[in-house]
Amino acid sequence: MFDTLKNAWRIKDIRQKIIFTIVMLFIYRVGTYVPIPGVDSSYIQAIVEKGGLLGFFDMITGGAFANYTIFAMGITPYINSSIIMQLLTVAIPKLEELAKEGEDGRKKIAQYTRYVTIILAFIQSLGITYGLARGAIVGGTFFSYFLVALTLTAGTAFLMWMGEQITDKGIGNGISLLIFASIVSRLPVAIATTIQRTFVAKVQSVWSLPLIIVFAVLLIAGVIYVDLGERRIPVQYSKRVVGRKVYGGQSTHIPMKVNASGVLPIIFAISILSFPQTIALLVPNSGFANWVGSHFNQGSALYAIIYGLLIIFFTYFYTQITFNPVEIANNLKQYGGFVMGIRPGKSTAEYLSRISNRITFVGSLFLTAIAIIPIIASAVAKIPMYFGGTAILILVGVAMETSRELESQMLMRHYKGFLK
């Protein structure tokens, strides 16, 4: 990865993209310290310090949630909106037609996604402000709640724009890089908190530190190993004689990655699980809020089960969207290619679909294990959740995706230079 960054920095065009990305991330980090007028942030910090889902949400937002700054909502509403639009694209024929129209259709769907993001951001920010941060609002009038919710919605809209700018004009993966920067910025705080719990407060065993380090190293190695794992389907192209020239006849393969969805199922699952928390904050003294607080917290068995099922679902869902075996089989048949031992056409599509389902199942189980095992270990060993596997998975996954994006941009630049 470091060699990729060093080689990319030598290329002027890519160096400008890297600098643009760094500037955007710097603006994002500055914004996490811009407070909202009329809010007592110490009240929110006292609640977040108790840990649980709010502690992890604070890490995803880079500390902006605990300080209740303009970026306190983070990019979560945009992720929720993207999930909703992808589901609606499969369910609504009109949206499916737009998705197949090429660049113009994708721009239209992206515009709808932005609208839904604003609506979700306002609802979620109003629920959190009225439910969780009610005691932190100075004055407590309707206008005060509305102004804070409007400010948080504007912050989310700005982050959405910033992520799209990084994707278009930067090195790519804008939304993922914003989450990556948030988690990296909170790691020093998490390390300091663990040291304080171990050596000052002495509520955590000293022997837990080497266990955490070993667990993190094994987890990083496992993520890299699975992320690089792939099944290669051998493909043979038949020879064609056109005039006096012979075309085809070469052998190649179709790469099918074990973890083709990356960290997106984890991010999607976390975003969906934030909905019950938001609803509970809207009605803080109701029976539903009490049930969520006692049975649907981050350390509960119900939360872990639903978390795992959502990860498996979104892994399959994302794979079905990005990998179309019927289209691949038709393209192979059109250009004279075939999978060894498989009849071209429908049989090839069924074979690719069967292999994809098996590989996706293994990848989904791996992601689920990474997300669930730290929850179980945290409940038993009383270790804070921000040392869980989800944060490390996001860090490693985004780093590898960004490295591959830089490599593809360098490769594309070499092709362009050759054509010129």
Side-chain angles (χ1 to χ4, degrees), residues 313-347:
F313 168 76
F314 282 118
T315 303
Y316 273 96
F317 175 74
Y318 185 83
T319 303
Q320 292 295 325
I321 292 178
T322 57
F323 183 78
N324 190 343
V326 176
E327 183 178 354
I328 294 176
N330 291 335
N331 291 336
L332 288 176
K333 185 177 180 180
Q334 180 179 357
Y335 292 101
F338 59 92
V339 178
M340 302 295 293
I342 305 297
R343 183 173 299 177
K346 182 179 178 182
S347 298

PDB file of all heavy atoms in Angstrom, residues 313-347:
ATOM      1  N   PHE A 313     -27.596 -10.742   4.888  1.00  0.00           N
ATOM      2  CA  PHE A 313     -28.543 -10.260   3.883  1.00  0.00           C
ATOM      3  C   PHE A 313     -27.898  -9.254   2.938  1.00  0.00           C
ATOM      4  O   PHE A 313     -28.006  -9.364   1.707  1.00  0.00           O
ATOM      5  CB  PHE A 313     -29.762  -9.634   4.560  1.00  0.00           C
ATOM      6  CG  PHE A 313     -30.655  -8.868   3.618  1.00  0.00           C
ATOM      7  CD1 PHE A 313     -31.505  -9.538   2.757  1.00  0.00           C
ATOM      8  CD2 PHE A 313     -30.622  -7.481   3.593  1.00  0.00           C
ATOM      9  CE1 PHE A 313     -32.328  -8.839   1.879  1.00  0.00           C
ATOM     10  CE2 PHE A 313     -31.434  -6.771   2.718  1.00  0.00           C
ATOM     11  CZ  PHE A 313     -32.295  -7.451   1.858  1.00  0.00           C
ATOM     12  N   PHE A 314     -27.212  -8.256   3.492  1.00  0.00           N
ATOM     13  CA  PHE A 314     -26.627  -7.210   2.657  1.00  0.00           C
ATOM     14  C   PHE A 314     -25.433  -7.735   1.851  1.00  0.00           C
ATOM     15  O   PHE A 314     -25.137  -7.197   0.775  1.00  0.00           O
ATOM     16  CB  PHE A 314     -26.209  -6.014   3.505  1.00  0.00           C
ATOM     17  CG  PHE A 314     -27.355  -5.135   3.911  1.00  0.00           C
ATOM     18  CD1 PHE A 314     -27.676  -4.966   5.249  1.00  0.00           C
ATOM     19  CD2 PHE A 314     -28.120  -4.492   2.952  1.00  0.00           C
ATOM     20  CE1 PHE A 314     -28.723  -4.161   5.626  1.00  0.00           C
ATOM     21  CE2 PHE A 314     -29.184  -3.683   3.322  1.00  0.00           C
ATOM     22  CZ  PHE A 314     -29.492  -3.515   4.659  1.00  0.00           C
ATOM     23  N   THR A 315     -24.757  -8.757   2.348  1.00  0.00           N
ATOM     24  CA  THR A 315     -23.690  -9.365   1.551  1.00  0.00           C
ATOM     25  C   THR A 315     -24.262 -10.000   0.296  1.00  0.00           C
ATOM     26  O   THR A 315     -23.745  -9.796  -0.819  1.00  0.00           O
ATOM     27  CB  THR A 315     -22.939 -10.423   2.376  1.00  0.00           C
ATOM     28  OG1 THR A 315     -22.414  -9.823   3.572  1.00  0.00           O
ATOM     29  CG2 THR A 315     -21.781 -11.001   1.575  1.00  0.00           C
ATOM     30  N   TYR A 316     -25.338 -10.772   0.457  1.00  0.00           N
ATOM     31  CA  TYR A 316     -25.989 -11.376  -0.707  1.00  0.00           C
ATOM     32  C   TYR A 316     -26.624 -10.307  -1.596  1.00  0.00           C
ATOM     33  O   TYR A 316     -26.557 -10.389  -2.831  1.00  0.00           O
ATOM     34  CB  TYR A 316     -27.057 -12.376  -0.261  1.00  0.00           C
ATOM     35  CG  TYR A 316     -26.526 -13.763  -0.021  1.00  0.00           C
ATOM     36  CD1 TYR A 316     -26.166 -14.185   1.254  1.00  0.00           C
ATOM     37  CD2 TYR A 316     -26.382 -14.662  -1.063  1.00  0.00           C
ATOM     38  CE1 TYR A 316     -25.671 -15.462   1.475  1.00  0.00           C
ATOM     39  CE2 TYR A 316     -25.906 -15.946  -0.852  1.00  0.00           C
ATOM     40  CZ  TYR A 316     -25.544 -16.334   0.419  1.00  0.00           C
ATOM     41  OH  TYR A 316     -25.057 -17.600   0.637  1.00  0.00           O
ATOM     42  N   PHE A 317     -27.234  -9.326  -0.977  1.00  0.00           N
ATOM     43  CA  PHE A 317     -27.918  -8.274  -1.740  1.00  0.00           C
ATOM     44  C   PHE A 317     -26.933  -7.505  -2.611  1.00  0.00           C
ATOM     45  O   PHE A 317     -27.186  -7.279  -3.809  1.00  0.00           O
ATOM     46  CB  PHE A 317     -28.620  -7.325  -0.768  1.00  0.00           C
ATOM     47  CG  PHE A 317     -29.270  -6.138  -1.432  1.00  0.00           C
ATOM     48  CD1 PHE A 317     -30.439  -6.285  -2.160  1.00  0.00           C
ATOM     49  CD2 PHE A 317     -28.701  -4.880  -1.328  1.00  0.00           C
ATOM     50  CE1 PHE A 317     -31.037  -5.194  -2.772  1.00  0.00           C
ATOM     51  CE2 PHE A 317     -29.290  -3.789  -1.938  1.00  0.00           C
ATOM     52  CZ  PHE A 317     -30.464  -3.945  -2.657  1.00  0.00           C
ATOM     53  N   TYR A 318     -25.804  -7.101  -2.046  1.00  0.00           N
ATOM     54  CA  TYR A 318     -24.816  -6.344  -2.805  1.00  0.00           C
ATOM     55  C   TYR A 318     -24.207  -7.198  -3.920  1.00  0.00           C
ATOM     56  O   TYR A 318     -23.975  -6.717  -5.026  1.00  0.00           O
ATOM     57  CB  TYR A 318     -23.723  -5.836  -1.864  1.00  0.00           C
ATOM     58  CG  TYR A 318     -22.714  -4.943  -2.547  1.00  0.00           C
ATOM     59  CD1 TYR A 318     -22.980  -3.590  -2.740  1.00  0.00           C
ATOM     60  CD2 TYR A 318     -21.497  -5.448  -2.996  1.00  0.00           C
ATOM     61  CE1 TYR A 318     -22.065  -2.765  -3.363  1.00  0.00           C
ATOM     62  CE2 TYR A 318     -20.575  -4.628  -3.625  1.00  0.00           C
ATOM     63  CZ  TYR A 318     -20.868  -3.285  -3.807  1.00  0.00           C
ATOM     64  OH  TYR A 318     -19.956  -2.475  -4.439  1.00  0.00           O
ATOM     65  N   THR A 319     -23.977  -8.476  -3.625  1.00  0.00           N
ATOM     66  CA  THR A 319     -23.412  -9.370  -4.638  1.00  0.00           C
ATOM     67  C   THR A 319     -24.383  -9.561  -5.797  1.00  0.00           C
ATOM     68  O   THR A 319     -23.970  -9.583  -6.970  1.00  0.00           O
ATOM     69  CB  THR A 319     -23.061 -10.732  -4.016  1.00  0.00           C
ATOM     70  OG1 THR A 319     -22.151 -10.537  -2.925  1.00  0.00           O
ATOM     71  CG2 THR A 319     -22.405 -11.640  -5.044  1.00  0.00           C
ATOM     72  N   GLN A 320     -25.667  -9.683  -5.501  1.00  0.00           N
ATOM     73  CA  GLN A 320     -26.661  -9.848  -6.562  1.00  0.00           C
ATOM     74  C   GLN A 320     -26.741  -8.623  -7.460  1.00  0.00           C
ATOM     75  O   GLN A 320     -27.020  -8.724  -8.662  1.00  0.00           O
ATOM     76  CB  GLN A 320     -28.048 -10.128  -5.953  1.00  0.00           C
ATOM     77  CG  GLN A 320     -28.170 -11.477  -5.264  1.00  0.00           C
ATOM     78  CD  GLN A 320     -28.016 -12.637  -6.232  1.00  0.00           C
ATOM     79  OE1 GLN A 320     -28.439 -12.552  -7.381  1.00  0.00           O
ATOM     80  NE2 GLN A 320     -27.407 -13.715  -5.765  1.00  0.00           N
ATOM     81  N   ILE A 321     -26.501  -7.445  -6.882  1.00  0.00           N
ATOM     82  CA  ILE A 321     -26.557  -6.214  -7.670  1.00  0.00           C
ATOM     83  C   ILE A 321     -25.331  -6.073  -8.562  1.00  0.00           C
ATOM     84  O   ILE A 321     -25.420  -5.667  -9.723  1.00  0.00           O
ATOM     85  CB  ILE A 321     -26.697  -4.985  -6.737  1.00  0.00           C
ATOM     86  CG1 ILE A 321     -28.073  -5.003  -6.062  1.00  0.00           C
ATOM     87  CG2 ILE A 321     -26.501  -3.681  -7.509  1.00  0.00           C
ATOM     88  CD1 ILE A 321     -28.281  -3.868  -5.095  1.00  0.00           C
ATOM     89  N   THR A 322     -24.154  -6.384  -8.025  1.00  0.00           N
ATOM     90  CA  THR A 322     -22.904  -6.135  -8.744  1.00  0.00           C
ATOM     91  C   THR A 322     -22.490  -7.286  -9.663  1.00  0.00           C
ATOM     92  O   THR A 322     -21.718  -7.073 -10.589  1.00  0.00           O
ATOM     93  CB  THR A 322     -21.771  -5.867  -7.740  1.00  0.00           C
ATOM     94  OG1 THR A 322     -21.662  -6.987  -6.836  1.00  0.00           O
ATOM     95  CG2 THR A 322     -22.051  -4.608  -6.942  1.00  0.00           C
ATOM     96  N   PHE A 323     -22.989  -8.499  -9.406  1.00  0.00           N
ATOM     97  CA  PHE A 323     -22.581  -9.665 -10.205  1.00  0.00           C
ATOM     98  C   PHE A 323     -23.803 -10.252 -10.885  1.00  0.00           C
ATOM     99  O   PHE A 323     -24.717 -10.761 -10.231  1.00  0.00           O
ATOM    100  CB  PHE A 323     -21.914 -10.711  -9.306  1.00  0.00           C
ATOM    101  CG  PHE A 323     -21.401 -11.910 -10.049  1.00  0.00           C
ATOM    102  CD1 PHE A 323     -20.215 -11.850 -10.756  1.00  0.00           C
ATOM    103  CD2 PHE A 323     -22.111 -13.100 -10.040  1.00  0.00           C
ATOM    104  CE1 PHE A 323     -19.735 -12.959 -11.449  1.00  0.00           C
ATOM    105  CE2 PHE A 323     -21.647 -14.216 -10.725  1.00  0.00           C
ATOM    106  CZ  PHE A 323     -20.448 -14.140 -11.435  1.00  0.00           C
ATOM    107  N   ASN A 324     -23.821 -10.183 -12.220  1.00  0.00           N
ATOM    108  CA  ASN A 324     -24.948 -10.685 -13.009  1.00  0.00           C
ATOM    109  C   ASN A 324     -24.484 -11.878 -13.842  1.00  0.00           C
ATOM    110  O   ASN A 324     -23.877 -11.715 -14.901  1.00  0.00           O
ATOM    111  CB  ASN A 324     -25.478  -9.588 -13.928  1.00  0.00           C
ATOM    112  CG  ASN A 324     -26.790  -9.981 -14.596  1.00  0.00           C
ATOM    113  OD1 ASN A 324     -27.154 -11.152 -14.640  1.00  0.00           O
ATOM    114  ND2 ASN A 324     -27.505  -8.994 -15.101  1.00  0.00           N
ATOM    115  N   PRO A 325     -24.726 -13.114 -13.386  1.00  0.00           N
ATOM    116  CA  PRO A 325     -24.232 -14.293 -14.119  1.00  0.00           C
ATOM    117  C   PRO A 325     -24.858 -14.450 -15.502  1.00  0.00           C
ATOM    118  O   PRO A 325     -24.211 -14.943 -16.419  1.00  0.00           O
ATOM    119  CB  PRO A 325     -24.600 -15.455 -13.195  1.00  0.00           C
ATOM    120  CG  PRO A 325     -25.698 -14.954 -12.334  1.00  0.00           C
ATOM    121  CD  PRO A 325     -25.446 -13.489 -12.161  1.00  0.00           C
ATOM    122  N   VAL A 326     -26.114 -14.018 -15.669  1.00  0.00           N
ATOM    123  CA  VAL A 326     -26.769 -14.141 -16.970  1.00  0.00           C
ATOM    124  C   VAL A 326     -26.077 -13.255 -17.998  1.00  0.00           C
ATOM    125  O   VAL A 326     -25.807 -13.670 -19.141  1.00  0.00           O
ATOM    126  CB  VAL A 326     -28.263 -13.775 -16.855  1.00  0.00           C
ATOM    127  CG1 VAL A 326     -28.931 -13.808 -18.234  1.00  0.00           C
ATOM    128  CG2 VAL A 326     -28.975 -14.722 -15.893  1.00  0.00           C
ATOM    129  N   GLU A 327     -25.776 -12.026 -17.600  1.00  0.00           N
ATOM    130  CA  GLU A 327     -25.096 -11.102 -18.516  1.00  0.00           C
ATOM    131  C   GLU A 327     -23.695 -11.598 -18.861  1.00  0.00           C
ATOM    132  O   GLU A 327     -23.260 -11.509 -20.019  1.00  0.00           O
ATOM    133  CB  GLU A 327     -25.024  -9.720 -17.870  1.00  0.00           C
ATOM    134  CG  GLU A 327     -24.399  -8.664 -18.763  1.00  0.00           C
ATOM    135  CD  GLU A 327     -24.388  -7.301 -18.106  1.00  0.00           C
ATOM    136  OE1 GLU A 327     -24.981  -7.169 -17.005  1.00  0.00           O
ATOM    137  OE2 GLU A 327     -23.792  -6.371 -18.675  1.00  0.00           O
ATOM    138  N   ILE A 328     -22.976 -12.127 -17.860  1.00  0.00           N
ATOM    139  CA  ILE A 328     -21.630 -12.647 -18.116  1.00  0.00           C
ATOM    140  C   ILE A 328     -21.690 -13.846 -19.061  1.00  0.00           C
ATOM    141  O   ILE A 328     -20.883 -13.964 -19.996  1.00  0.00           O
ATOM    142  CB  ILE A 328     -20.951 -13.033 -16.791  1.00  0.00           C
ATOM    143  CG1 ILE A 328     -20.715 -11.782 -15.938  1.00  0.00           C
ATOM    144  CG2 ILE A 328     -19.624 -13.748 -17.044  1.00  0.00           C
ATOM    145  CD1 ILE A 328     -20.142 -12.075 -14.568  1.00  0.00           C
ATOM    146  N   ALA A 329     -22.657 -14.739 -18.842  1.00  0.00           N
ATOM    147  CA  ALA A 329     -22.791 -15.914 -19.710  1.00  0.00           C
ATOM    148  C   ALA A 329     -23.129 -15.513 -21.141  1.00  0.00           C
ATOM    149  O   ALA A 329     -22.594 -16.081 -22.106  1.00  0.00           O
ATOM    150  CB  ALA A 329     -23.868 -16.845 -19.154  1.00  0.00           C
ATOM    151  N   ASN A 330     -23.983 -14.511 -21.296  1.00  0.00           N
ATOM    152  CA  ASN A 330     -24.332 -14.055 -22.646  1.00  0.00           C
ATOM    153  C   ASN A 330     -23.141 -13.409 -23.341  1.00  0.00           C
ATOM    154  O   ASN A 330     -22.937 -13.600 -24.556  1.00  0.00           O
ATOM    155  CB  ASN A 330     -25.501 -13.071 -22.574  1.00  0.00           C
ATOM    156  CG  ASN A 330     -26.804 -13.740 -22.160  1.00  0.00           C
ATOM    157  OD1 ASN A 330     -26.981 -14.943 -22.365  1.00  0.00           O
ATOM    158  ND2 ASN A 330     -27.706 -12.974 -21.583  1.00  0.00           N
ATOM    159  N   ASN A 331     -22.357 -12.646 -22.603  1.00  0.00           N
ATOM    160  CA  ASN A 331     -21.166 -12.022 -23.196  1.00  0.00           C
ATOM    161  C   ASN A 331     -20.149 -13.076 -23.625  1.00  0.00           C
ATOM    162  O   ASN A 331     -19.522 -12.955 -24.688  1.00  0.00           O
ATOM    163  CB  ASN A 331     -20.534 -11.052 -22.205  1.00  0.00           C
ATOM    164  CG  ASN A 331     -21.389  -9.823 -21.974  1.00  0.00           C
ATOM    165  OD1 ASN A 331     -22.201  -9.449 -22.827  1.00  0.00           O
ATOM    166  ND2 ASN A 331     -21.224  -9.184 -20.829  1.00  0.00           N
ATOM    167  N   LEU A 332     -19.972 -14.101 -22.784  1.00  0.00           N
ATOM    168  CA  LEU A 332     -19.051 -15.179 -23.151  1.00  0.00           C
ATOM    169  C   LEU A 332     -19.511 -15.884 -24.425  1.00  0.00           C
ATOM    170  O   LEU A 332     -18.713 -16.166 -25.334  1.00  0.00           O
ATOM    171  CB  LEU A 332     -18.932 -16.186 -21.998  1.00  0.00           C
ATOM    172  CG  LEU A 332     -18.172 -15.745 -20.759  1.00  0.00           C
ATOM    173  CD1 LEU A 332     -18.252 -16.831 -19.680  1.00  0.00           C
ATOM    174  CD2 LEU A 332     -16.721 -15.447 -21.083  1.00  0.00           C
ATOM    175  N   LYS A 333     -20.804 -16.162 -24.504  1.00  0.00           N
ATOM    176  CA  LYS A 333     -21.349 -16.858 -25.673  1.00  0.00           C
ATOM    177  C   LYS A 333     -21.214 -16.003 -26.929  1.00  0.00           C
ATOM    178  O   LYS A 333     -20.916 -16.509 -28.020  1.00  0.00           O
ATOM    179  CB  LYS A 333     -22.811 -17.210 -25.412  1.00  0.00           C
ATOM    180  CG  LYS A 333     -23.453 -18.042 -26.515  1.00  0.00           C
ATOM    181  CD  LYS A 333     -24.889 -18.402 -26.142  1.00  0.00           C
ATOM    182  CE  LYS A 333     -25.533 -19.239 -27.231  1.00  0.00           C
ATOM    183  NZ  LYS A 333     -26.941 -19.601 -26.872  1.00  0.00           N
ATOM    184  N   GLN A 334     -21.418 -14.693 -26.767  1.00  0.00           N
ATOM    185  CA  GLN A 334     -21.350 -13.792 -27.915  1.00  0.00           C
ATOM    186  C   GLN A 334     -19.949 -13.731 -28.513  1.00  0.00           C
ATOM    187  O   GLN A 334     -19.794 -13.647 -29.734  1.00  0.00           O
ATOM    188  CB  GLN A 334     -21.808 -12.393 -27.494  1.00  0.00           C
ATOM    189  CG  GLN A 334     -21.783 -11.367 -28.622  1.00  0.00           C
ATOM    190  CD  GLN A 334     -22.261 -10.007 -28.155  1.00  0.00           C
ATOM    191  OE1 GLN A 334     -22.667  -9.837 -27.000  1.00  0.00           O
ATOM    192  NE2 GLN A 334     -22.213  -9.029 -29.055  1.00  0.00           N
ATOM    193  N   TYR A 335     -18.919 -13.762 -27.655  1.00  0.00           N
ATOM    194  CA  TYR A 335     -17.545 -13.636 -28.131  1.00  0.00           C
ATOM    195  C   TYR A 335     -16.822 -14.986 -28.241  1.00  0.00           C
ATOM    196  O   TYR A 335     -15.601 -15.026 -28.315  1.00  0.00           O
ATOM    197  CB  TYR A 335     -16.770 -12.705 -27.204  1.00  0.00           C
ATOM    198  CG  TYR A 335     -17.247 -11.275 -27.278  1.00  0.00           C
ATOM    199  CD1 TYR A 335     -18.081 -10.762 -26.296  1.00  0.00           C
ATOM    200  CD2 TYR A 335     -16.889 -10.454 -28.341  1.00  0.00           C
ATOM    201  CE1 TYR A 335     -18.540  -9.453 -26.360  1.00  0.00           C
ATOM    202  CE2 TYR A 335     -17.340  -9.150 -28.421  1.00  0.00           C
ATOM    203  CZ  TYR A 335     -18.165  -8.649 -27.419  1.00  0.00           C
ATOM    204  OH  TYR A 335     -18.617  -7.353 -27.488  1.00  0.00           O
ATOM    205  N   GLY A 336     -17.592 -16.061 -28.194  1.00  0.00           N
ATOM    206  CA  GLY A 336     -17.006 -17.369 -28.419  1.00  0.00           C
ATOM    207  C   GLY A 336     -16.276 -17.950 -27.228  1.00  0.00           C
ATOM    208  O   GLY A 336     -15.419 -18.829 -27.404  1.00  0.00           O
ATOM    209  N   GLY A 337     -16.596 -17.512 -26.038  1.00  0.00           N
ATOM    210  CA  GLY A 337     -15.962 -18.046 -24.836  1.00  0.00           C
ATOM    211  C   GLY A 337     -16.856 -19.041 -24.129  1.00  0.00           C
ATOM    212  O   GLY A 337     -18.084 -19.006 -24.247  1.00  0.00           O
ATOM    213  N   PHE A 338     -16.247 -19.934 -23.391  1.00  0.00           N
ATOM    214  CA  PHE A 338     -17.019 -20.925 -22.649  1.00  0.00           C
ATOM    215  C   PHE A 338     -16.204 -21.395 -21.449  1.00  0.00           C
ATOM    216  O   PHE A 338     -14.971 -21.382 -21.460  1.00  0.00           O
ATOM    217  CB  PHE A 338     -17.383 -22.121 -23.536  1.00  0.00           C
ATOM    218  CG  PHE A 338     -16.196 -22.839 -24.113  1.00  0.00           C
ATOM    219  CD1 PHE A 338     -15.630 -23.926 -23.460  1.00  0.00           C
ATOM    220  CD2 PHE A 338     -15.631 -22.422 -25.316  1.00  0.00           C
ATOM    221  CE1 PHE A 338     -14.531 -24.591 -23.990  1.00  0.00           C
ATOM    222  CE2 PHE A 338     -14.537 -23.083 -25.857  1.00  0.00           C
ATOM    223  CZ  PHE A 338     -13.985 -24.164 -25.193  1.00  0.00           C
ATOM    224  N   VAL A 339     -16.927 -21.773 -20.392  1.00  0.00           N
ATOM    225  CA  VAL A 339     -16.302 -22.344 -19.199  1.00  0.00           C
ATOM    226  C   VAL A 339     -16.030 -23.811 -19.469  1.00  0.00           C
ATOM    227  O   VAL A 339     -16.893 -24.532 -19.999  1.00  0.00           O
ATOM    228  CB  VAL A 339     -17.203 -22.169 -17.962  1.00  0.00           C
ATOM    229  CG1 VAL A 339     -16.563 -22.814 -16.728  1.00  0.00           C
ATOM    230  CG2 VAL A 339     -17.484 -20.693 -17.707  1.00  0.00           C
ATOM    231  N   MET A 340     -14.834 -24.255 -19.111  1.00  0.00           N
ATOM    232  CA  MET A 340     -14.433 -25.633 -19.394  1.00  0.00           C
ATOM    233  C   MET A 340     -15.420 -26.612 -18.760  1.00  0.00           C
ATOM    234  O   MET A 340     -15.663 -26.587 -17.549  1.00  0.00           O
ATOM    235  CB  MET A 340     -13.026 -25.879 -18.851  1.00  0.00           C
ATOM    236  CG  MET A 340     -11.967 -24.942 -19.426  1.00  0.00           C
ATOM    237  SD  MET A 340     -11.708 -25.183 -21.185  1.00  0.00           S
ATOM    238  CE  MET A 340     -10.992 -26.821 -21.177  1.00  0.00           C
ATOM    239  N   GLY A 341     -15.992 -27.499 -19.594  1.00  0.00           N
ATOM    240  CA  GLY A 341     -16.895 -28.530 -19.109  1.00  0.00           C
ATOM    241  C   GLY A 341     -18.325 -28.086 -18.924  1.00  0.00           C
ATOM    242  O   GLY A 341     -19.166 -28.878 -18.492  1.00  0.00           O
ATOM    243  N   ILE A 342     -18.654 -26.812 -19.235  1.00  0.00           N
ATOM    244  CA  ILE A 342     -20.006 -26.278 -19.054  1.00  0.00           C
ATOM    245  C   ILE A 342     -20.524 -25.793 -20.405  1.00  0.00           C
ATOM    246  O   ILE A 342     -19.817 -25.102 -21.147  1.00  0.00           O
ATOM    247  CB  ILE A 342     -20.033 -25.121 -18.033  1.00  0.00           C
ATOM    248  CG1 ILE A 342     -19.419 -25.570 -16.709  1.00  0.00           C
ATOM    249  CG2 ILE A 342     -21.460 -24.629 -17.822  1.00  0.00           C
ATOM    250  CD1 ILE A 342     -20.144 -26.690 -16.010  1.00  0.00           C
ATOM    251  N   ARG A 343     -21.769 -26.125 -20.714  1.00  0.00           N
ATOM    252  CA  ARG A 343     -22.359 -25.703 -21.979  1.00  0.00           C
ATOM    253  C   ARG A 343     -22.627 -24.197 -21.947  1.00  0.00           C
ATOM    254  O   ARG A 343     -23.110 -23.669 -20.930  1.00  0.00           O
ATOM    255  CB  ARG A 343     -23.656 -26.464 -22.210  1.00  0.00           C
ATOM    256  CG  ARG A 343     -24.344 -26.158 -23.536  1.00  0.00           C
ATOM    257  CD  ARG A 343     -25.521 -27.078 -23.750  1.00  0.00           C
ATOM    258  NE  ARG A 343     -25.088 -28.480 -23.804  1.00  0.00           N
ATOM    259  CZ  ARG A 343     -25.923 -29.501 -23.933  1.00  0.00           C
ATOM    260  NH1 ARG A 343     -27.231 -29.271 -24.010  1.00  0.00           N
ATOM    261  NH2 ARG A 343     -25.460 -30.728 -23.984  1.00  0.00           N
ATOM    262  N   PRO A 344     -22.328 -23.463 -23.027  1.00  0.00           N
ATOM    263  CA  PRO A 344     -22.567 -22.004 -23.061  1.00  0.00           C
ATOM    264  C   PRO A 344     -24.049 -21.672 -22.910  1.00  0.00           C
ATOM    265  O   PRO A 344     -24.927 -22.472 -23.211  1.00  0.00           O
ATOM    266  CB  PRO A 344     -22.038 -21.592 -24.445  1.00  0.00           C
ATOM    267  CG  PRO A 344     -21.096 -22.683 -24.831  1.00  0.00           C
ATOM    268  CD  PRO A 344     -21.654 -23.946 -24.242  1.00  0.00           C
ATOM    269  N   GLY A 345     -24.305 -20.426 -22.423  1.00  0.00           N
ATOM    270  CA  GLY A 345     -25.676 -19.962 -22.297  1.00  0.00           C
ATOM    271  C   GLY A 345     -26.242 -20.155 -20.902  1.00  0.00           C
ATOM    272  O   GLY A 345     -25.626 -19.787 -19.897  1.00  0.00           O
ATOM    273  N   LYS A 346     -27.420 -20.763 -20.824  1.00  0.00           N
ATOM    274  CA  LYS A 346     -28.130 -20.920 -19.557  1.00  0.00           C
ATOM    275  C   LYS A 346     -27.348 -21.764 -18.558  1.00  0.00           C
ATOM    276  O   LYS A 346     -27.307 -21.459 -17.363  1.00  0.00           O
ATOM    277  CB  LYS A 346     -29.506 -21.539 -19.818  1.00  0.00           C
ATOM    278  CG  LYS A 346     -30.350 -21.694 -18.577  1.00  0.00           C
ATOM    279  CD  LYS A 346     -31.711 -22.283 -18.897  1.00  0.00           C
ATOM    280  CE  LYS A 346     -32.534 -22.479 -17.630  1.00  0.00           C
ATOM    281  NZ  LYS A 346     -33.867 -23.096 -17.923  1.00  0.00           N
ATOM    282  N   SER A 347     -26.726 -22.839 -19.019  1.00  0.00           N
ATOM    283  CA  SER A 347     -25.960 -23.706 -18.111  1.00  0.00           C
ATOM    284  C   SER A 347     -24.794 -22.953 -17.490  1.00  0.00           C
ATOM    285  O   SER A 347     -24.483 -23.115 -16.300  1.00  0.00           O
ATOM    286  CB  SER A 347     -25.449 -24.938 -18.879  1.00  0.00           C
ATOM    287  OG  SER A 347     -26.518 -25.706 -19.384  1.00  0.00           O
TER     288      SER A 347
END
